[in-house]
């Protein structure tokens, strides 16, 4: 309301080909702003946040104090806002939003055959570098097995083979009944802890960079976090009378206060898998809003939430999933 920009996020199965093309092209255009292959020892390859795709990867890696705390959900809501804003800026198209991925509806039966793994979506659910989809040939980090600069996955669901043995692994994702129960729970800290545990299961199932502190190296991470944000918004609307209390959120610090001042050199195994950012100060010029401004917001007559709270610039809503999706065989 009041002339605010309307941001409507749709489930990945519901967006049109035209909408996907605009989103895909904007992401790849944004990534092209930073053409460095990985990070140099001085950290000079990464542009200041939020002015380059790789800066989102770096700030996520360096924000461990926002994880496994009540800061987790507002921190990611702020990052999703920044990512969307940058996509709209580089493409000069304010209609672009991040599609969310409802992995609960995929479940065990449809996880490995989901449309999200299509070559015209987020790329194949196979081991190694992403060779198709939105993140194809992203020059970010070496795959330790091929020594090729890439974003990579290491699938944990489906048929697994080792030393001649074959077995099936399920995704072990929460059923809809569990989600409904948690949304109905009035304890924010309990809900946040559950959401973070569920997130870890999804990230483990995808593997590779998704299952690491640098998960935005896989573009699917943004749609994954958008779904968590949708669930949190569902929780907030369900508990409008308590949503402003947020458990320990009174202790929330500014967005960039959760970023380490210094990046410590990684151990040898971490360097082998994910590289070493060196020891460098974090530059994060776009982090001047307190996370508390992303914890709650005014729900207007249209059902969207006005954000950020202190000075709303847009109204966010999530369109319920309409389609069951078309699995790819």
């Amino acid at each position: 309301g009041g002339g605010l920009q309307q941001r409507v996020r749709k489930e990945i199965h519901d967006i049109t080909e035209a909408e996907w093309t605009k989103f895909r092209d904007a992401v790849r255009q944004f990534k092209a702003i930073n053409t460095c292959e990985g990070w140099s020892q001085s950290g000079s390859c990464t542009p200041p946040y939020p002015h380059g795709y790789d800066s989102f990867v770096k700030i996520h890696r360096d924000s461990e104090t926002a994880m496994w705390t009540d800061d987790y959900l507002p921190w990611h809501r702020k990052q999703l806002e920044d990512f969307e804003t940058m996509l709209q800026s580089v493409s000069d198209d304010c209609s672009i939003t991040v599609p969310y991925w409802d992995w609960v509806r995929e479940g065990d039966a449809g996880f490995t055959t989901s449309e999200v793994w299509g070559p015209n979506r987020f790329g194949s659910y196979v081991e190694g570098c992403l060779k198709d989809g939105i993140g194809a040939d992203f020059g970010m980090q070496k795959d330790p097995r091929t020594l090729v600069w890439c974003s990579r996955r290491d699938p944990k669901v489906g048929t697994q083979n080792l030393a001649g043995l074959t077995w099936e692994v399920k995704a072990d994702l929460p059923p809809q009944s569990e989600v409904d129960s948690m949304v109905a729970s009035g304890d924010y800290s309990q809900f946040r802890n559950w959401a973070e545990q569920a997130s870890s299961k999804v990230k483990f199932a995808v593997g590779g960079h998704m299952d690491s502190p640098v998960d935005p190296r896989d573009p699917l991470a943004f749609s994954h976090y958008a779904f968590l944000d949708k669930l949190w918004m569902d929780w907030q609307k369900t508990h409008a009378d308590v949503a402003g209390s947020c458990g320990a959120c009174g202790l929330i610090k500014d967005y960039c206060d959760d970023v380490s001042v210094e990046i410590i050199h990684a151990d040898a195994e971490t360097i082998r898998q994910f590289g070493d950012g060196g020891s460098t100060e974090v530059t994060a010029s776009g982090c001047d809003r307190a996370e508390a401004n992303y914890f709650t917001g005014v729900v207007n007559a249209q059902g969207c939430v006005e954000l950020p709270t202190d000075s709303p610039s847009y109204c966010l809503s999530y369109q319920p999933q309409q389609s069951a999706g078309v699995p790819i065989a």
Side-chain angles (χ1 to χ4, degrees):
L4 295 179
Q5 179 195 21
Q6 302 295 307
R7 296 192 183 186
V8 181
R9 294 175 184 161
K10 298 181 180 179
E11 210 279 334
I12 186 66
H13 296 91
D14 290 339
I15 64 175
T16 66
E17 288 303 316
E19 290 170 332
W20 171 259
T21 297
K22 290 196 298 183
F23 174 69
R24 178 199 64 201
D25 291 352
V27 169
R28 294 189 67 83
Q29 183 179 354
F30 189 38
K31 177 64 181 73
I33 292 175
N34 179 13
T35 57
C36 289
E37 295 181 334
W39 296 322
S40 70
Q41 287 295 320
S42 66
S44 61
C45 282
T46 306
Y49 184 88
H51 301 290
Y53 186 100
D54 287 2
S55 71
F56 283 80
V57 178
K58 187 174 182 181
I59 198 173
H60 198 278
R61 184 191 71 170
D62 299 336
S63 303
E64 293 184 2
T65 57
M67 311 306 160
W68 300 107
T69 72
D70 283 346
D71 296 12
Y72 179 79
L73 292 171
W75 193 95
H76 284 92
R77 176 168 289 175
K78 173 68 166 69
Q79 189 173 65
L80 283 167
E81 176 200 293
D82 290 343
F83 187 65
E84 250 174 15
T85 298
M86 293 307 299
L87 295 184
Q88 293 174 3
S89 177
V90 298
S91 62
D92 195 24
D93 187 343
C94 290
S95 70
I96 293 176
T97 57
V98 176
Y100 69 93
W101 175 34
D102 185 346
W103 32 260
V104 172
R105 291 191 61 170
E106 306 279 23
D108 282 329
F111 189 86
T112 60
T113 58
S114 171
E115 186 178 354
V116 301
W117 312 121
N120 192 33
R121 289 295 185 266
F122 286 100
S124 302
Y125 186 63
V126 295
E127 184 176 7
C129 295
L130 301 186
K131 292 300 185 183
D132 56 10
I134 191 171
D137 302 316
F138 268 18
M140 284 186 171
Q141 193 50 259
K142 287 184 178 181
D143 184 316
R145 289 156 294 199
T146 63
L147 299 181
V148 175
W149 295 99
C150 70
S151 296
R152 64 182 179 84
R153 293 188 181 133
D154 183 14
K156 302 295 195 303
V157 179
T159 302
Q160 303 290 311
N161 298 280
L162 180 64
L165 299 177
T166 301
W167 67 98
E168 292 294 319
V169 178
K170 293 185 177 182
D172 189 29
L173 302 181
Q176 188 63 51
S177 59
E178 182 178 316
V179 175
D180 294 342
S181 175
M182 292 310 304
V183 169
S185 168
D187 185 319
Y188 169 77
S189 294
Q190 181 184 35
F191 174 80
R192 187 275 311 159
N193 185 62
W194 169 85
E196 208 158 353
Q197 289 184 18
S199 172
S200 295
K201 291 181 178 181
V202 176
K203 293 168 65 174
F204 175 79
V206 177
H209 284 126
M210 270 285 283
D211 190 27
S212 78
V214 292
D215 49 346
R217 285 184 178 172
D218 188 333
L220 181 60
F222 292 101
S223 290
H224 163 64
Y225 286 120
F227 180 53
L228 290 180
D229 190 69
K230 176 191 180 296
L231 294 180
W232 182 34
M233 186 171 287
D234 291 342
W235 182 90
Q236 289 178 301
K237 290 181 176 180
T238 302
H239 305 284
D241 56 332
V242 299
S245 64
C246 168
C249 282
L251 302 176
I252 285 179
K253 302 177 292 297
D254 285 349
Y255 184 61
C256 282
D257 285 349
D258 281 323
V259 180
S260 303
V261 174
E262 186 178 27
I263 306 169
I264 306 302
H265 283 282
D267 58 59
E269 176 62 18
T270 301
I271 293 173
R272 186 182 74 82
Q273 292 193 43
F274 304 115
D276 178 14
S279 181
T280 179
E281 290 187 359
V282 175
T283 302
S285 59
C287 304
D288 55 356
R289 284 280 175 79
E291 288 175 17
N293 288 314
Y294 296 87
F295 175 75
T296 186
V298 175
V299 181
N300 68 16
Q302 287 73 43
C304 58
V305 176
E306 299 180 3
L307 293 167
T309 305
D310 63 345
S311 181
S313 60
Y314 69 100
C315 206
L316 176 64
S317 62
Y318 285 90
Q319 178 177 293
Q321 184 174 344
Q322 308 295 318
S323 169
V326 182
I328 54 174

